[in-house]
Amino acid sequence: MELFKHNKIFDFVYWSRYGLILSAILSVFSLYLFFGVGFSLGIDFAGGSVVQIQLQSSNSGDQIESSSNDISITNIQTIRNLLSQDSSFNGSQVSNFGNDREILIKIPFNPNLQSSMLANRINEILSPIGDFEIRKLDSIGPKVGDELARSAVISLLLAVIAIMLYVSFRYEWRFALASIITLVHDVMITASSVILFDIDLNLEVVAALLTLLGYSINDTIIVFDRIREKMLEGKKMSIQEVINEAISRTLSRTTLTSLTMFFVVLTLYLFGGEIIIGFSLPLLVGVVFGTYSSMFVAPKLAIMLGFSIEKYYAREAQKAKKAEEKKRMRQMYEGGRL
C-alpha cells in the first residue's frame, strides 16, 4: 500500500536542520526536567504501599447537591484529614484514580505499617467516610525497591550496549554513531515526558522505555538500510540526494507502521485506564519522536559527523577490485596455471 507517490522525492535533508534545532531545544528541556525537577519514584523503586479504594456511597462530609468536582475535592480532603491523625501515614499522597469515586493513596515506607495489617488499619481510620472497598493494595519494602531499581538500570544499559554493538558491526561508524545518538535522544525525550505529565517512575515506565529502544532502532535501521542500498547501486549521487530518495522510498512503510503502532498505544491510553498509564503515555510520546528522529535527525547527524560518499564509493571500488583480483587468482590456480 502506497500513501505517497513512488516517484515523489521530498527534501528531508533541508528540513532536518529545523528538526535538529527542535531536538536540541527538547534535549535541553529534558535535562532541565531531569536535574531541576526530577522523577517521582513509584513504590516499585522507593518502597511503600499503594492503596486503591472505591467509595460506595457519599461520605458524611459531602454535600449531595455539590458538583462532581466538589465531591471529588471533599473526598480527597476528608481522607487526608483522617490519615493525618495517625503519624504512621505521614507523607501520604491522596488523589483521584480515573473517576471521583476511585481514590489512590500512596503511603511512604514505614516499619510500623506491616502490609499484613495495613488493610485493617485503612478500614479503621477511614471508617468515617462511609462504605468503601479496598480494590488494590500493593506493598514493597525499600530493599526490594533498590533491587528493582538496580535491575531496571541494568536492563536499560544492557539493551543499549547490545544495540550499539549491533549497529557498529552493521554500518559505517558515522551511521552507527548517529543511530546511537538518536536512540539516546528518543529515550531522553520520552523519559522527560514522565516528569512532565507527573507519572510515577515504576516498572511500567521502564517497560515502555525498553519497548521504545527496540521500536526506535528498528525504524532508524530501515532508513539506513535503504540509504546503503541506494549507495550500493553505484549511481553517482550526492549524499543529500541519496538520503532524500531513500527516506522518500520508505515513507509509506514508515507512516503505516508508525500509525499502526500509534493507534494501538492510543487505544491503550484511552481505554486502558489509569492502571497502565505509566506504560501507554510514555510509549505514545516515544512512537512520535522515534518516527520523527529516524527521518529528520539520524541521517542529518551522519552528514554532520563527516560522512563522505565520495570516500565511500572509493572504498567500495577498492573492495570490488580486490574481490575481482581474488576471483581471478582463484581461477588461475584452479586452471593449473600457478
Side-chain angles (χ1 to χ4, degrees), residues 97-138:
F97 190 73
N99 60 64
D100 299 329
R101 293 300 177 185
E102 297 281 345
I103 306 295
L104 193 69
I105 306 172
K106 300 176 184 178
I107 307 167
F109 175 76
N110 189 317
N112 297 324
L113 285 177
Q114 298 183 7
S115 57
S116 58
M117 302 296 294
L118 185 56
N120 292 335
R121 294 281 294 277
I122 291 291
N123 282 317
E124 180 182 346
I125 292 174
L126 300 185
S127 58
I129 68 174
D131 295 333
F132 65 89
E133 175 190 0
I134 297 180
R135 306 192 66 189
K136 175 185 175 184
L137 197 161
D138 293 330

Side-chain angles (χ1 to χ4, degrees), residues 1 37 40 62 80 91 101 115 185 210 248 269 277 302 310:
M1 181 177 179
V37 180
S40 174
D62 287 343
R80 285 174 180 164
R101 293 300 177 185
S115 57
H185 157 275
L210 287 171
S248 297
Y269 172 69
I277 196 171
E310 290 79 12

Side-chain angles (χ1 to χ4, degrees), residues 14-15 19 25 31 120 148 158 166 174 191 194 198 236 249 276 294 302 304 330 336:
Y14 173 80
W15 291 104
I25 294 173
L31 292 174
N120 292 335
L148 288 174
L158 289 177
Y166 170 74
R174 292 174 181 83
V194 174
D198 195 25
K236 295 300 181 180
R249 294 286 184 262
I276 61 169
S294 66
M304 294 178 65
R330 185 167 55 252

Side-chain angles (χ1 to χ4, degrees), residues 215 254-270 280-281 283-289 291:
Y215 174 82
T254 300
T255 303
L256 288 172
T257 303
S258 300
L259 286 177
T260 301
M261 182 75 168
F262 179 83
F263 285 122
V264 169
V265 179
L266 181 63
T267 302
L268 286 176
Y269 172 69
L270 294 176
S280 58
L281 185 55
L283 193 54
L284 198 62
V285 174
V287 168
V288 174
F289 282 98
T291 303

Side-chain angles (χ1 to χ4, degrees), residues 136-148:
K136 175 185 175 184
L137 197 161
D138 293 330
S139 296
I140 294 180
K143 184 176 180 180
V144 176
D146 289 340
E147 292 175 355
L148 288 174

Side-chain angles (χ1 to χ4, degrees), residues 219-234:
D219 226 24
T220 302
I221 283 176
I222 292 295
V223 173
F224 280 1
D225 269 345
R226 187 57 182 166
I227 291 174
R228 186 172 60 178
E229 288 174 7
K230 291 300 299 180
M231 291 190 297
L232 290 175
E233 287 179 0

